[in-house]
Amino acid sequence: MSANQSPAGKQPTATYDSAFLRACRREPVPHTPVWFMRQAGRSLPEYLKVREGIPMLESCMRPELVAEITLQPVRRHGVDAAIYFSDIVVPLKAIGIDLDIKPGVGPVVANPIRTRADLARLRDLTPEDVSYVTEAYGLLTRELGATPLIGFAGAPFTLASYLVEGGPSRNHEHTKALMYGDPQLWADLLDRLADITAAFLKVQIEAGASAVQLFDSWVGALSPADYRRSVMPASSKVFEAVAGYGVPRIHFGVGTGELLGLMGEAGADVVGVDWRVPMDEAARRVGPGKALQGNLDPAVLFSTRQAVESKTREILDAAADLDGHIFNLGHGVLPTTDPDALTRLVEHVHTRTAR
């Protein structure tokens, strides 16, 4: 049973009629809903205070700390949805991959996966591996009430990139070398990661997630033909695995303007758009039947209040004819963003779009 549905004969849950979930379903909304990727994190002084001295991965495994960090932007900004505080490599750590998140670098894998023998290190993920996730969701859903909670996971391609490269990469040379040079091993790797990712999303949905987002942060490095052939089957497998829960499925990547239609085709109900493509053009590329999410450039928030409002109006005007639009940034909140700028942005979008 999903967080948006209830057994036959009973009323839907408190989140069902929220502006966020209505927009995901492309239904009329009282205002355009707003949330921000990376809204829970480094831009908030209260986050820096509670995280002080605690490594990133450890902070993702402390249910009470996760709940507090997840709630902070909801309290401060009045956003229309919370997003679960975690990291895309958490399920990999949970199954025993030797990795760490190094400050200023990102996820670093001790022993990259590049051979068929390495696949054996990617065992199935069980709910017991991430029991702290279930516990944190229990704390959060009680506290959030009618505010939806978004679960998330890293998409198979992006997880594969970290595993194959050994960490973040500008050119993804090892990843592409494997993808082109041994397509069967590549397909088997992504298929294994699809199973792990789907299992991680299922844990979150069954614990109370109202929607889930699949982050494919690095897939913009690929051409449409490579995406369709070498990535889309695994992403589709993830979306199909959670389809029966009835929660909206969001798909987002960076630099994916040429892939927007395929990302929707992979099985998403909502397609995230970065700032490089206007919302009306994104709608044309994606086609009918999908809601869209986005797409203010995060760097705009460092400009004047007038400039932020002007760029926001451009986005809202471009999205005016969409069946479903969720306002977001075109990527995550930058660490040095003024939190007050985010609070003002939420208020501006709500006021300007009030029906």
Side-chain angles (χ1 to χ4, degrees):
M1 187 180 73
S2 82
N4 309 321
Q5 298 171 330
S6 56
K10 295 188 178 181
Q11 293 299 310
T13 57
T15 62
Y16 184 82
D17 273 327
S18 63
F20 169 74
L21 289 179
R22 290 185 68 86
C24 288
R25 299 192 301 264
R26 297 179 293 116
E27 296 173 359
V29 290
H31 59 260
T32 297
V34 187
W35 72 278
F36 305 115
M37 287 176 281
R38 293 185 185 154
Q39 65 187 17
R42 298 165 294 179
S43 66
L44 300 181
E46 56 266 41
Y47 166 83
L48 296 174
K49 184 176 180 180
V50 299
R51 268 281 323 275
E52 192 172 1
I54 305 172
M56 177 61 184
L57 280 173
E58 183 182 339
S59 70
C60 296
M61 300 173 190
R62 295 189 183 185
E64 291 186 355
L65 181 59
V66 168
E68 168 59 23
I69 293 171
T70 301
L71 290 166
Q72 286 175 349
V74 179
R75 299 190 196 111
R76 179 186 272 262
H77 304 314
V79 286
D80 292 279
I83 183 164
Y84 183 77
F85 175 75
S86 187
D87 190 272
I88 63 170
V89 299
V90 163
L92 299 179
K93 183 73 171 180
I95 62 170
I97 297 298
D98 186 359
L99 61 82
D100 196 12
I101 299 176
K102 296 192 175 180
V105 178
V108 176
V109 179
N111 300 298
I113 288 179
R114 295 177 184 170
T115 69
R116 181 157 296 280
D118 292 333
L119 283 184
R121 289 154 51 199
L122 295 174
R123 67 166 177 82
D124 291 341
L125 178 83
T126 69
E128 291 71 32
D129 291 323
V130 288
S131 58
Y132 47 86
V133 172
T134 301
E135 185 177 343
Y137 265 89
L139 297 172
L140 280 163
T141 52
R142 286 194 292 273
E143 193 76 25
L144 285 166
T147 301
L149 176 56
I150 304 168
F152 77 92
F157 175 83
T158 291
L159 294 181
S161 177
Y162 281 118
L163 287 170
V164 174
E165 299 291 339
S169 173
R170 183 180 297 273
N171 299 311
H172 309 280
E173 52 265 51
H174 295 293
T175 305
K176 291 184 177 182
L178 177 60
M179 184 176 75
Y180 297 135
D182 193 339
Q184 188 57 56
L185 175 57
W186 173 259
D188 293 344
L189 170 60
L190 259 65
D191 190 67
R192 185 76 57 87
L193 290 170
D195 289 338
I196 293 166
T197 299
F200 190 53
L201 290 179
K202 286 178 180 180
V203 167
Q204 294 179 73
I205 296 169
E206 290 176 5
S210 297
V212 290
Q213 176 159 305
L214 194 64
F215 281 90
D216 217 346
S217 308
W218 304 126
V219 79
L222 299 183
S223 69
D226 286 338
Y227 178 88
R228 181 182 288 280
R229 177 176 55 248
S230 302
V231 174
M232 191 169 162
S235 294
S236 296
K237 185 177 185 181
V238 175
F239 285 126
E240 181 60 30
V242 299
Y245 289 98
V247 303
R249 299 158 297 172
I250 310 169
H251 202 2
F252 173 76
V254 184
T256 51
E258 299 300 319
L259 305 178
L260 289 173
L262 292 170
M263 291 174 71
E265 193 178 327
D269 304 298
V270 183
V271 178
V273 184
D274 75 11
W275 65 92
R276 297 170 178 87
V277 181
M279 295 304 288
D280 48 358
E281 171 60 17
R284 188 191 67 77
R285 297 183 187 187
V286 172
K290 310 285 183 183
L292 296 185
Q293 178 176 279
N295 68 338
L296 184 70
D297 184 342
V300 170
L301 289 163
F302 290 81
S303 190
T304 64
R305 183 170 181 169
Q306 292 73 21
V308 173
E309 291 185 358
S310 175
K311 295 298 290 184
T312 300
R313 285 194 298 272
E314 287 180 18
I315 292 164
L316 294 173
D317 289 346
D321 294 330
L322 303 184
D323 286 339
H325 176 222
I326 299 151
F327 190 93
N328 207 311
L329 304 181
H331 197 200
V333 174
L334 297 172
T336 54
T337 302
D338 178 3
D340 290 342
L342 292 168
T343 305
R344 289 193 299 267
L345 179 55
V346 174
E347 183 180 2
H348 178 69
V349 173
H350 284 174
T351 301
R352 184 171 178 82
T353 62
R355 273 49 161 186

